């Protein structure tokens, strides 16, 4: 039974085969550093290879979204049998720098790049009967996007001695924006110990608030493509002043109500004094009135019976009664 060669002998044999058959090992070269292109521009993802191109030569470009494994790649274009076949969602924007790519350059051109084009691109060269390498190169690509207008918000207890959190966030921006908060206006800036901000999350924490903490705060989101900002107004209140003001308002309302009541009472009394005495109409009968047909003399006699002196009737007090009897001439 023949003894199988050891690992060292196998390795030497494979090395000898590579040297004796030049061109069978496909070597793909791509940039080692990540590539980036501003949004809307045309990107060139460089890829070169060295091999003896044969009839079975094939080239494939594919794309992997951030965070996904290589096995989840999506094809962009193929070159095989002397023809180029763009495919997928990027088919209308994808092309090769050199077509056909048989001269050792397989660079991909991607026009009008979108933020969704950010990810990993695979340049795969296949040239059977090469079985010594996988012929694969990986390129990390980023589409540069300026920060979108951030959204400012606040939360917390905005009273003297309390704490507040100011937040700022841009929904778009690549690379991720850096956030910076500033206090606008002529009012004093809060002391460094009471003002802590996180440039990555865009959060500003204000502690031990005072009345001087009130004012307008601006958040600036910036990256290498530009900047954008938003503002909000922080109003710090003093609860003790609010209680004093409430008590003062209560006292003033009480005094006002008392004043209105006193005014109404005085007005009522004045109106009562000015009310005219009761008058009687011609058809009203008074208790002390003299009955019709009775002369003042009868009244005088009645008075004499009470011990009063009788006095003759005066002309002004005599009542003349017309007689209904016929008068003889």
């Amino acid at each position: 039974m023949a003894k199988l060669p050891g690992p060292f002998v196998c390795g030497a044999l494979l090395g000898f085969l590579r040297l004796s058959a030049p061109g069978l090992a496909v070597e793909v070269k791509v940039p080692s550093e990540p590539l980036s292109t501003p949004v809307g521009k045309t990107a060139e993802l460089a890829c070169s290879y060295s091999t003896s191109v044969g009839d079975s030569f094939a080239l494939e470009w594919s794309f992997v979204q951030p965070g996904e494994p290589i096995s989840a790649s999506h094809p962009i274009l193929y070159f095989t049998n002397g023809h180029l076949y763009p495919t997928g969602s990027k088919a209308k924007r994808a092309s090769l720098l050199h077509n056909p790519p048989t001269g050792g350059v397989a660079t991909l051109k991607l026009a009008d790049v979108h933020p969704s084009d950010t990810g990993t691109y695979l340049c795969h060269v296949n040239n059977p009967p090469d079985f010594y390498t996988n012929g694969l190169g990986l390129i990390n690509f980023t589409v540069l996007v300026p920060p979108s207008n951030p959204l400012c918000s606040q939360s917390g207890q905005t009273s003297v001695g309390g704490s507040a959190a100011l937040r700022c966030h841009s929904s778009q921006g690549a690379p991720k924006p850096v956030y910076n908060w500033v206090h606008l206006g002529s009012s004093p800036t809060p002391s460094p110990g009471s003002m802590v901000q996180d440039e990555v999350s865009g959060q500003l924490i204000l502690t031990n608030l005072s009345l001087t903490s009130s004012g307008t705060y601006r958040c600036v989101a910036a990256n290498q493509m530009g900047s954008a900002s938003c503002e909000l107004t922080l109003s710090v209140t003093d609860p003790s002043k609010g209680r004093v003001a409430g008590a003062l308002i209560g006292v003033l309302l009480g005094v006002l109500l008392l004043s209105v009541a006193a005014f109404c009472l005085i007005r009522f009394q004045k109106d009562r004094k000015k009310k005219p005495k009761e008058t009687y109409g011609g058809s009203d009968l008074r208790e002390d009135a003299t009955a019709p047909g009775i002369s003042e003399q009868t009244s005088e006699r009645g008075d004499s019976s009470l011990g009063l002196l009788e006095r003759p009737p005066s002309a002004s007090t005599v009542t003349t009664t017309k007689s209904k009897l016929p008068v003889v001439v």
Side-chain angles (χ1 to χ4, degrees), residues 49-60:
Y49 63 91
S50 59
T51 186
S52 297
V53 176
D55 295 337
S56 300
F57 174 85
L59 169 67
E60 177 186 358

Side-chain angles (χ1 to χ4, degrees), residues 3 55 75 122 158 218 262 291 309:
K3 185 178 180 181
D55 295 337
L122 288 69
T158 56
R218 174 183 294 167
L309 293 177

Side-chain angles (χ1 to χ4, degrees), residues 152 164-168 177-183 189-207 217-222:
C152 287
L166 310 185
R167 294 178 176 85
C168 175
V178 174
Y179 301 95
N180 184 40
W181 284 92
V182 292
H183 189 198
T189 302
S191 60
S194 63
M195 183 175 177
V196 180
Q197 65 174 321
D198 188 340
E199 294 182 346
V200 177
S201 65
Q203 181 172 262
L204 173 68
I205 302 297
L206 296 172
T207 58
Y217 290 78
R218 174 183 294 167
C219 171
V220 179

Side-chain angles (χ1 to χ4, degrees), residues 14-326:
L14 290 175
F16 174 76
L17 291 175
R18 290 180 183 178
L19 292 176
S20 60
L24 292 181
V26 176
E27 184 179 358
V28 175
K29 293 183 179 180
V30 294
S32 58
E33 298 295 328
L35 301 181
S36 61
T37 300
V39 62
K41 302 296 183 179
T42 298
E44 292 188 3
L45 307 183
C47 177
S48 61
Y49 63 91
S50 59
T51 186
S52 297
V53 176
D55 295 337
S56 300
F57 174 85
L59 169 67
E60 177 186 358
W61 274 97
S62 56
F63 169 73
V64 180
Q65 293 182 346
E68 292 188 356
I70 300 299
S71 59
S73 63
H74 305 280
I76 298 175
L77 58 78
Y78 298 96
F79 179 86
T80 183
N81 297 325
H83 294 88
L84 183 64
Y85 303 97
T87 184
S89 60
K90 299 176 175 51
K92 294 182 179 181
R93 298 184 292 119
S95 62
L96 291 175
L97 183 62
H98 296 287
N99 188 23
T102 54
V105 178
T107 300
L108 174 70
K109 291 181 62 178
L110 192 61
D112 187 25
V113 293
H114 303 161
S116 59
D117 293 332
T118 295
T120 302
Y121 288 77
L122 288 69
C123 177
H124 188 196
V125 176
N126 187 20
N127 188 36
D130 177 18
F131 302 106
Y132 301 111
T133 64
N134 58 10
L136 181 64
L138 304 180
I139 300 176
N140 292 321
F141 176 69
T142 301
V143 178
L144 302 179
V145 181
S148 59
N149 291 329
L151 177 64
C152 287
S153 62
Q154 72 177 59
S155 62
Q157 183 180 2
T158 56
S159 58
V160 173
S163 299
L166 310 185
R167 294 178 176 85
C168 175
H169 178 70
S170 294
S171 59
Q172 293 183 353
K176 290 184 178 180
V178 174
Y179 301 95
N180 184 40
W181 284 92
V182 292
H183 189 198
L184 304 180
S186 58
S187 56
T189 302
S191 60
S194 63
M195 183 175 177
V196 180
Q197 65 174 321
D198 188 340
E199 294 182 346
V200 177
S201 65
Q203 181 172 262
L204 173 68
I205 302 297
L206 296 172
T207 58
N208 193 22
L209 293 173
S210 63
L211 295 179
T212 59
S213 302
S214 299
T216 301
Y217 290 78
R218 174 183 294 167
C219 171
V220 179
N223 63 11
Q224 66 190 73
M225 292 296 295
S227 63
S229 64
C230 62
E231 296 179 1
L232 61 78
T233 300
L234 180 68
S235 299
V236 180
T237 58
D238 190 346
S240 61
K241 290 186 177 181
R243 289 192 293 267
V244 172
L248 181 60
I249 293 174
V251 171
L252 293 177
L253 288 176
V255 172
L256 179 61
L257 291 175
L258 290 176
S259 300
V260 172
F263 173 79
C264 293
L265 180 60
I266 294 174
R267 184 66 180 270
F268 174 75
Q269 291 178 349
K270 287 183 178 180
D271 292 344
R272 188 177 183 184
K273 289 180 180 181
K274 290 181 180 180
K275 186 176 181 181
K277 293 184 178 180
E278 200 173 336
T279 57
Y280 300 92
S283 61
D284 294 337
L285 180 64
R286 296 174 54 184
E287 293 180 358
D288 58 347
T290 304
I294 301 176
S295 65
E296 287 291 334
Q297 295 179 358
T298 307
S299 179
E300 293 289 343
R301 292 192 189 96
D303 291 340
S304 64
S305 65
L306 297 176
L308 299 177
L309 293 177
E310 184 177 357
R311 58 181 180 179
S314 61
S316 61
T317 60
V318 174
T319 303
T320 303
T321 304
K322 292 183 179 181
S323 176
K324 298 181 180 181
L325 297 177

